[in-house]
Amino acid sequence: MLKTFNLGGVHPPENKLSKDKAIEVLPVPTSVFIPVAQHIGAPATPVVKRGDEVKVGQVIAKSSSFVSTNIHSSVSGKVKKVDFSSDSSGYPKEGIFIDVEGDEWIDGIDRSTDLVKEISVDGPEIIQKIQDAGIVGLGGATFPTHVKLVPPKGMKADVLLINGVECEPYLTSDHRLMLEKADEILVGTRLLMRALNVDKAVIGIENNKPDAIKLIKEKCKKYNGLSVVALKVQYPQGGEKQLINAVTGKEVPSGALPIAVGTVVSNVGTAYAVYEAIQKNKPLIERVVTVTGKGVSKPSNFLVRVGTATSELVDAAGGLPEDTGKVISGGPMMGRAIPSLDVPVTKGTSGILLMREQEATREETMTCIRCSRCTTVCPMGLEPYLLKKLGEKQIFDRAEKERIMDCIECGSCSYTCPSNLPLLDYIRYGKGKVGQIIRSRKK
Amino acid sequence: MSITVVYTIVTLAVIGAAAAVILYFVAQKFKVYEDPRIDEVEEALPGANCGGCGYAGCRAFAEACVSASEMGDLNCPVGGNDTMSSVASILGLEAVKQDPRVAFIRCNGTCDHRPKTSTFDGATTCAIASSVYSGESNCQYGCLGYGDCYDACDFDAIVMHPETGIPEIIDDKCVACGACVDACPKDLIELRKKMPKNRKVVVACRNQDKGGVARKACDVACIGCSKCFKECPFDAITMENNLAFIDSDKCKLCRKCVPVCPTNSILELNFPPRKVKPAEKEECTTT
């Protein structure tokens, strides 16, 4: 019997259309827009101005506090302007526009593909380098990685979990990365282990990727303390708390961080970025993005420079199909629809999903019939129908008592609702308001 | 048989009398003094419990009035000056006259003026839509049209226009309680001074983008050109963040700003139609 998490979960159709497509390097675009807030925490402060010449890997926006990170130029060329442009929400966000000229990298970056296995740096230095390289959690949450690696006082990690679950339907970027860069990921894992001072790491992979499980298991034999756990396919296993539960059986208490049960979770993409930052001296300037969808003529996995417009990726995958109803940044469960193809790829973009008109239309909503399916599938043990009502009626004190802040916004409730209620929309709204109330109380 | 009935009656009477005595003393001991004027003031208020005064209902407002030493900012927008003067006379204070106000929605971005660029199909409330998304057009400041203000209005003073999808305020029903102002996540609704015959001269736009961007998103957007600002003889117009604003307390309804607006974003409402200047007569050509 394969392991999985103990509470709730759904199993949507997997639709991993691009799982056999090797990662292609997307040509450098002619211009990029690099937002300064691509991570959770304070936005970085731009340090370049109009007309400046920049090279690939140069810091263009500096981290402004501990929970923040640097932004590097992903291209070489001239800064066109530092201005606002709409992001995936349609609201303008500050960022740096660069017109590309050539492809000149700053000195010191090792661009060869040779594997560097020997680890020559110690823990604190690794963390410092991760912070300098602007690495954030590449699973989608974009939490600055260096913050995770410094446990709060009195807490200690004893196991590192590497998240190779990729439970979102359609997405295959982590899967391909595991197949093509297995050794690099494992060296990256060793680096993270050294930074955390732990001697055990477990890589969790869902059972729908047997090739990756086999390959990584094989490679793990060469490294000390690494092991692989195959997991039953169940959404949202890629959620931090779900993965911890699935692999270790431990439960993270409400409101606490994974470190409370002695674990730290990192994505395979993050492990690869850590490898590149430390062994190759290369900051986080590109990532693997899956471009997929049932109407897409060439579903692909691309290695893309941060700041590339979505339209370039769509063109490379065979263009925008005529019957496209929605373009989603991320997966179908947690991703968000984008209002324009000018929205750039950021550090957190794991996929671009083009949904056909008939798939994208929401069905007519009806009243709640109290079937309690949402309660059954909620992986956090919440009562989504109740939280929805509390958000709708703006009863925020009760919502807080009902642990609305524990919601991981996985969307299982909306997915399963037979009345097609947009439960998560209301819950997310309530969560935002309760979060505001909690923050104002702390002040 | 009959003796049982007598005993029962006597017992009940004794218990009743004892309870009455106990209750009397308890009531004396734990008596809470309440100013009788609170009831009187509450009686004089409209009883809408709308919260427009800033208190949690008419009772709370009445308590605040009774404990206040002067009327000052205390104002019931629903009852208006009449109610406030009767409240003041109950309390022996001097009433402060307040200008009646009326709500106005500062967006005129109807479908023909503001082209749709995307479609939102999530939960249909303005609060949620604006928290995830800037709106269906390229104007991130404009009305979303899901009717949170309509839901908030207790006085049936807001209707959603079936064609434009933008709410409209029925001036005669609006009591300026401000519920819609709080409900609008885009901060479009303003309480303006009520003018005779509900006349208004207003900038029906909140777009703070630069002119070109604003114009592209909406035909009737304020582009911040400052022409109205220069035209106004009463300094009623201020320019801030590429947006003109007409202060209703200073505006004298001269309407000079309306024709100079290049995008027609200034509206004149409830005025009689302007006299159209007769076209100049063609000069007779003499041979």
Side-chain angles (χ1 to χ4, degrees):
Chain A
M1 186 65 183
L2 287 167
K3 282 183 173 179
T4 186
F5 53 99
N6 63 354
L7 210 58
V10 289
H11 187 176
E14 288 162 26
N15 290 322
K16 305 270 190 187
L17 308 172
S18 51
K19 66 176 179 186
D20 299 322
K21 304 282 163 59
I23 298 170
E24 288 171 55
V25 179
L26 199 75
V28 181
T30 52
S31 67
V32 291
F33 169 61
I34 305 175
V36 293
Q38 299 184 35
H39 46 265
I40 290 182
T45 322
V47 290
V48 288
K49 56 182 193 307
R50 192 181 156 172
D52 283 3
E53 296 277 346
V54 292
K55 287 180 182 173
V56 181
Q58 186 181 328
V59 175
I60 50 173
K62 270 218 158 78
S63 137
S64 46
S65 70
F66 181 60
V67 187
S68 177
T69 190
N70 291 339
I71 307 280
H72 301 77
S73 178
S74 59
V75 293
S76 63
K78 211 175 227 173
V79 176
K80 191 177 159 200
K81 55 181 175 176
V82 179
D83 202 356
F84 288 80
S85 177
S86 56
D87 71 343
S88 57
S89 70
Y91 288 111
K93 297 280 156 68
E94 195 180 14
I96 296 153
F97 291 80
I98 303 171
D99 282 334
V100 179
E101 288 161 16
D103 193 27
E104 219 177 303
W105 293 51
I106 56 166
D107 299 331
I109 298 179
D110 177 3
R111 292 180 66 189
S112 67
T113 50
D114 312 332
L115 180 71
V116 187
K117 254 174 102 172
E118 286 71 37
I119 298 172
S120 54
V121 279
D122 59 347
E125 205 178 326
I126 294 175
I127 295 175
Q128 187 57 45
K129 275 197 156 173
I130 287 176
Q131 184 169 5
D132 293 343
I135 295 177
V136 298
L138 295 181
T142 64
F143 190 76
T145 303
H146 66 270
V147 182
K148 270 192 197 178
L149 298 177
V150 186
K153 264 186 191 145
M155 291 188 180
K156 194 190 166 321
D158 38 54
V159 59
L160 168 71
L161 299 186
I162 297 294
N163 187 344
V165 171
E166 199 155 61
C167 57
E168 273 272 1
Y170 287 97
L171 302 188
T172 57
S173 49
D174 288 353
H175 185 183
R176 288 313 306 180
L177 202 63
M178 284 191 283
L179 288 178
E180 292 173 36
K181 306 281 180 196
D183 274 308
E184 286 85 348
I185 290 171
L186 295 180
V187 176
T189 308
R190 292 286 305 165
L191 287 163
L192 286 170
M193 285 163 71
R194 181 170 288 194
L196 278 169
N197 198 16
V198 297
D199 49 15
K200 208 178 131 202
V202 185
I203 302 160
I205 306 173
E206 273 189 352
N207 209 28
N208 56 1
K209 297 179 258 297
D211 44 355
I213 297 174
K214 197 172 152 218
L215 179 73
I216 305 259
K217 257 192 184 154
E218 196 57 42
K219 301 260 185 194
C220 272
K221 289 176 187 159
K222 291 187 283 180
Y223 301 88
N224 287 333
L226 295 189
S227 61
V228 175
V229 178
L231 300 161
K232 191 184 151 196
V233 182
Q234 184 84 323
Y235 179 86
Q237 195 139 238
E240 214 167 42
K241 290 168 186 176
Q242 281 64 39
L243 184 67
I244 293 168
N245 185 251
V247 173
T248 67
K250 288 178 191 164
E251 209 151 296
V252 182
S254 169
L257 294 169
I259 193 78
V261 292
T263 49
V264 170
V265 184
S266 263
N267 185 267
V268 284
T270 317
Y272 179 64
V274 168
Y275 164 83
E276 289 210 307
I278 287 151
Q279 309 293 69
K280 301 277 187 179
N281 215 6
K282 180 178 153 194
L284 183 55
I285 53 157
E286 52 189 7
R287 66 158 297 146
V288 181
V289 180
T290 304
V291 183
T292 181
K294 284 187 183 152
V296 177
S297 53
K298 230 177 71 193
S300 326
N301 300 293
F302 294 120
L303 185 66
V304 188
R305 301 280 174 95
V306 165
T308 309
T310 306
S311 54
E312 307 241 356
L313 280 78
V314 174
D315 288 344
L320 193 71
E322 237 172 56
D323 60 345
T324 306
K326 257 183 205 171
V327 179
I328 292 171
S329 167
M333 298 295 283
M334 284 192 73
R336 57 194 302 169
I338 54 175
S340 132
L341 286 182
D342 299 335
V343 172
V345 166
T346 61
K347 292 176 181 178
T349 313
S350 45
I352 302 291
L353 171 60
L354 309 179
M355 275 184 135
R356 290 182 298 181
E357 187 93 53
Q358 79 239 39
E359 299 168 303
T361 355
R362 290 205 195 192
E363 304 210 7
E364 195 196 338
T365 57
M366 283 163 274
T367 44
C368 173
I369 54 166
R370 310 265 152 168
C371 66
S372 82
R373 269 202 223 169
C374 53
T375 334
T376 322
V377 298
C378 179
M380 297 305 291
L382 307 174
E383 294 175 273
Y385 73 93
L386 176 65
L387 297 178
K388 179 232 165 195
K389 262 274 147 356
L390 295 172
E392 194 182 346
K393 303 284 173 215
Q394 317 216 344
I395 310 172
F396 298 127
D397 49 344
R398 173 89 193 274
E400 191 185 348
K401 278 190 201 128
E402 299 289 345
R403 302 195 288 130
I404 198 169
M405 294 310 283
D406 280 1
C407 172
I408 57 166
E409 305 183 18
C410 68
S412 297
C413 50
S414 301
Y415 174 78
T416 198
C417 181
S419 289
N420 306 314
L421 290 169
L423 293 160
L424 182 57
D425 287 2
Y426 289 97
I427 296 174
R428 208 182 264 148
Y429 169 68
K431 200 178 156 186
K433 287 284 172 188
V434 172
Q436 273 177 19
I437 293 168
I438 292 174
R439 277 194 298 278
S440 65
R441 203 184 293 150
K442 275 183 190 158
K443 265 176 206 166
Chain B
M1 185 65 189
S2 62
I3 197 87
T4 318
V5 173
V6 172
Y7 276 143
T8 312
I9 291 169
V10 170
T11 317
L12 280 175
V14 170
I15 292 172
V21 171
I22 293 168
L23 283 175
Y24 173 76
F25 283 109
V26 169
Q28 287 299 317
K29 173 95 184 152
F30 295 105
K31 193 169 173 182
V32 177
Y33 174 76
E34 198 170 53
D35 198 321
R37 293 178 303 168
I38 294 177
D39 282 331
E40 276 179 63
V41 172
E42 196 187 355
E43 198 68 17
L45 294 172
N49 286 317
C50 64
C53 52
Y55 291 88
C58 295
R59 180 82 189 175
F61 180 63
E63 283 168 12
C65 287
V66 170
S67 56
S69 55
E70 56 177 33
M71 294 312 282
D73 287 338
L74 292 165
N75 180 39
C76 170
V78 181
N81 287 330
D82 296 345
T83 303
M84 286 321 289
S85 57
S86 59
V87 168
S89 68
I90 292 169
L91 301 174
L93 298 171
E94 200 160 322
V96 182
K97 266 213 159 173
Q98 301 265 3
D99 291 325
R101 303 209 153 237
V102 66
F104 179 75
I105 294 165
R106 289 179 285 174
C107 178
N108 192 24
T110 56
C111 334
D112 27 321
H113 293 313
R114 192 167 51 141
K116 256 192 181 188
T117 53
S118 55
T119 319
F120 176 71
D121 63 356
T124 49
T125 79
C126 303
I128 290 176
S130 81
S131 70
V132 295
Y133 179 49
S134 62
E136 291 185 329
S137 70
N138 275 339
C139 173
Q140 47 149 331
Y141 302 94
C143 177
L144 295 161
Y146 298 116
D148 278 16
C149 52
Y150 169 80
D151 291 339
C153 185
D154 283 337
F155 299 90
D156 291 340
I158 299 182
V159 284
M160 299 300 293
H161 196 286
E163 273 162 32
T164 63
I166 287 182
E168 276 179 9
I169 294 193
I170 305 168
D171 290 347
D172 292 331
K173 286 189 181 173
C174 177
V175 297
C177 67
C180 53
V181 178
D182 294 339
C184 182
K186 299 280 188 188
D187 196 17
L188 290 175
I189 308 182
E190 185 208 350
L191 296 179
R192 297 178 71 85
K193 188 173 153 191
K194 205 167 187 169
M195 299 291 196
K197 296 183 187 165
N198 291 326
R199 285 180 176 170
K200 290 187 196 99
V201 177
V202 274
V203 180
C205 185
R206 285 280 288 161
N207 195 316
Q208 293 165 28
D209 282 330
K210 284 178 193 145
V213 182
R215 189 65 210 269
K216 250 183 223 162
C218 179
D219 284 353
V220 289
C222 172
I223 53 171
C225 67
S226 300
K227 276 190 184 161
C228 53
F229 171 71
K230 287 170 199 149
E231 192 71 26
C232 183
F234 304 105
D235 288 338
I237 300 182
T238 45
M239 297 296 304
E240 205 178 329
N241 299 326
N242 306 312
L243 180 67
F245 172 72
I246 303 178
D247 187 340
S248 58
D249 292 321
K250 290 182 186 163
C251 176
K252 304 268 191 261
L253 301 177
C254 73
R255 297 194 279 165
K256 279 188 182 152
C257 52
V258 181
V260 300
C261 179
T263 57
N264 296 327
S265 67
I266 304 182
L267 302 182
E268 44 174 67
L269 298 170
N270 302 323
F271 284 94
R274 285 183 187 233
K275 277 180 201 153
V276 185
K277 274 186 192 167
E280 279 176 37
K281 278 180 193 167
E282 275 180 47
E283 277 176 37
C284 298
T285 45
T286 46
T287 47

